[in-house]
Amino acid sequence: MATCEHLSHADDPAARTPEGCEECLADGGRWVHLRRCLECGHIGCCDSSPARHATAHFNATGHPVMQSYQPGEQWRWCFVDSRMG
């Protein structure tokens, strides 16, 4: 199986808003689970959340890899290749 280049080259930036989803915090929204962009540190809410800000961030920026920002979870996801890492 081929390795996803995006996952193998993902960075580890600090969370920009470690207290929660950046957009939900700004507009008073709510989230279910959080995801961290591994290119810029954006924290967005998952696709089970009403606003789906993590996916919206990928669509707006093209930043390919996000990681779960939930305690105890280490998995990563590449939006471009639809692969877990």
Side-chain angles (χ1 to χ4, degrees):
M1 183 186 304
T3 302
C4 172
E5 182 177 324
H6 304 104
L7 288 167
S8 61
H9 291 102
D11 202 359
D12 189 23
R16 294 190 331 205
T17 54
E19 65 277 10
C21 174
E22 189 169 329
E23 291 84 1
C24 288
L25 288 168
D27 65 19
R30 61 181 183 83
W31 59 84
V32 177
H33 296 287
L34 299 172
R35 311 293 183 233
R36 177 176 57 119
C37 173
L38 294 185
E39 187 157 325
C40 70
H42 172 269
I43 301 295
C45 53
C46 71
D47 284 355
S48 295
S49 301
R52 301 176 176 165
H53 287 123
T55 296
H57 177 74
F58 164 70
N59 290 329
T61 65
H63 295 168
V65 181
M66 64 91 182
Q67 182 176 35
S68 174
Y69 197 62
Q70 294 301 122
E73 294 184 0
Q74 297 297 315
W75 59 266
R76 301 177 299 157
W77 174 255
C78 176
F79 285 101
V80 174
D81 297 320
S82 296
R83 296 188 89 178
M84 295 282 291

